[in-house]
């Protein structure tokens, strides 16, 4: 009879498939049944049945063996480099020679310098370290630097009572100015007769007529800084040189007025006091001058000085631990700030010369700084490739200007109150918007390092850049297009400044000259008193 259902001699797996009853050797998944053809393959060595002894190994092919050897060699090389990096070697060349002699190595090889000798000693010590299987003892001359935990939390440092009074005074000065600036901007935008875009374009277009009017030899050494006086629309020019000499010039005719030996070392920065005028200097020359501060100078010896209109030394600002960069007076005139290579910038009292604030925060030297037109903010830049904006009323860093790929060397605020321009060693100038807290535009300005950037201080219709490529360039502050390139210096341009109103521009150079550039109209220079309202061009 035909059997229904599974056989009693079969088993069912989990899928319902019949599994024949065990008869003889068990069936193992993947096992090859040795037939006539299979036996011949096994005998020829083409088929491996896995019936060898446990832990049996087979020889690799020549290509596989070579690959493994290369990998092992690379691992040994990486380990050797790691050990070399971990070995501390003294920088004293005489000690390096002594250690090489103690190890039985030649103290010097043909064409080998001190650096190569140190690398050879480090490599030898790493080899000995690998042989011993442990770390070698550090030489006595080696300096072991313990890693310090970086504090990432916000912290506060207790300030002096004078600093508190200074912050309060700055707040009382800046807040009304900020309110007046915003109200003025609102009125202008609401006035249908005011075309702000046209005014900015006209101010920028007028710079196309800039031409060199005067060139003067400023000193026997390169000039580092130039500034216009503000209250009298740039009637006076201040220059400082690497020879430590500071000079005051009358803008008309570029005539020297005062010459002082400000420092024994090179001057790295200088700035006019916000109230300094040509009239004060002329009064001093007539014997009726005052002892008020007129300008300041910063030096590579880490000291800054404040001077009277006649060039009399009034105060010394001493406290930085390294050379100084630029300096700038606060718009209220009661304070002055200095940037230094000791990674700090400091705020000083103009009246007493007392240090009010030592502000840390930069990881590398601070080179330049600038105050907001209202006086409430200060922007600083340095060799760490980015800048910071500080609120002087609270002491907080409100934003960081990150974008340059090389060191930043100059910074300036726009008169509109919300734009900042920075110049860098990456050959670019960047415009930052404080409202967005980010970069608004990148200007590929020069073919070399940008040494200074300056806005026109009244309306801000354009800004100027100077560079080590020997030129100064003028750009529109509205669309950031280049309007003019000023050529005339025979070497790198160290600094540039724009007179209030934008009719003049001064540059100083490594060629030791001071050059005055002025707008031209029908072949004649345009003076400030001839301008009415926005700059006009007559063709």
């Amino acid at each position: 009879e035909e059997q229904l259902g599974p056989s009693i001699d079969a088993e069912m797996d989990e899928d319902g498939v019949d599994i024949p009853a065990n008869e003889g050797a068990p069936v193992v998944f993947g096992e090859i049944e040795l037939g006539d053809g299979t036996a011949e393959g096994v005998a020829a060595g083409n088929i491996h049945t896995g019936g060898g002894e446990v832990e049996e190994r087979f020889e690799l092919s020549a290509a596989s063996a070579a690959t493994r050897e290369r990998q092992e060699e690379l691992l040994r090389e990486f380990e050797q480099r790691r050990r070399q990096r971990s070995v501390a070697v003294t920088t004293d060349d005489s000690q390096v020679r002594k250690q090489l002699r103690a190890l039985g190595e030649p103290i010097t090889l043909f064409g080998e310098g001190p650096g190569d000798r140190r690398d050879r000693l480090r490599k030898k010590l790493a080899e000995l370290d690998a042989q011993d299987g442990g770390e070698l003892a550090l030489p006595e001359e080696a300096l072991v630097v313990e890693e310090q935990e970086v504090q990432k939390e916000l912290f506060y440092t207790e300030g002096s009572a004078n600093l508190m009074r200074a912050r309060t005074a700055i707040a009382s000065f800046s807040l009304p100015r900020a309110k007046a600036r915003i109200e003025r901007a609102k009125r202008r935008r609401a006035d249908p007769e005011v075309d702000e875009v046209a005014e900015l374009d006209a101010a920028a277009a007028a710079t196309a007529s800039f031409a060199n009017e005067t060139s003067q030899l400023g000193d026997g050494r390169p000039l580092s800084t130039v500034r216009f006086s503000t209250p009298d629309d740039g009637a006076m020019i201040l220059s400082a040189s690497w020879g430590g000499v500071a000079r005051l010039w009358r803008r008309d005719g570029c005539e020297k007025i005062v010459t002082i030996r400000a420092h024994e070392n090179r001057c790295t920065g200088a700035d006019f006091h916000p109230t300094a005028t040509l009239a004060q200097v002329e009064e001093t020359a007539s014997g009726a001058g005052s002892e008020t501060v007129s300008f300041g100078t910063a030096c590579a010896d880490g000291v800054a000085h404040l001077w009277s209109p006649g060039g009399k030394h009034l105060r010394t600002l001493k406290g930085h631990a390294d050379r100084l960069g630029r300096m700038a007076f606060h718009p209220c005139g009661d304070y002055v700030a200095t940037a230094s290579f000791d990674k700090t910038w400091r705020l000083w009292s103009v009246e007493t010369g007392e240090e009010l604030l030592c502000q840390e925060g930069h990881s590398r030297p601070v080179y330049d700084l600038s105050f907001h037109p209202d006086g409430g903010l200060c922007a600083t830049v340095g060799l760490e490739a980015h800048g910071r904006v500080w609120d002087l009323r609270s002491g907080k860093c409100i934003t960081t200007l990150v974008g340059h790929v090389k060191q930043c060397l100059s910074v300036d605020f726009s008169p509109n109150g919300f734009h900042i321009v920075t110049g860098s060693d990456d050959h670019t100038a960047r415009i930052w918007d404080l409202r967005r807290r980010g970069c608004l535009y990148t200007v590929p300005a020069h073919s070399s390092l940008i040494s200074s950037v300056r806005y026109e201080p009244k309306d801000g219709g354009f800004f100027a850049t100077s560079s080590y490529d020997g030129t100064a360039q003028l750009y529109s502050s509205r669309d950031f297009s280049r309007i003019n390139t000023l050529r005339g210096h025979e070497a790198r341009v160290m600094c540039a400044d724009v007179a209030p109103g934008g009719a003049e521009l001064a540059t100083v150079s490594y060629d030791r000259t001071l050059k005055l550039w002025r707008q031209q109209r029908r072949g004649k220079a345009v003076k400030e008193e001839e301008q009415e309202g926005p700059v006009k061009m007559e063709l």
Side-chain angles (χ1 to χ4, degrees), residues 502-523:
E504 289 93 11
L505 181 141
T507 56
V508 292
S509 170
Y510 196 80
D511 62 10
R512 303 171 297 167
T513 62
L514 163 68
K515 293 185 184 295
L516 182 65
W517 312 78
R518 180 169 287 176
Q519 294 179 17
Q520 306 294 313
R521 184 172 63 187
R522 293 178 180 176

Side-chain angles (χ1 to χ4, degrees), residues 14-36:
E14 58 184 3
D15 296 325
V17 179
D18 292 344
I19 300 177
N22 293 336
E23 297 180 358
V27 178
V28 181
F29 178 76
E31 182 179 8
I32 301 176
E33 183 179 356
L34 297 179
D36 295 339

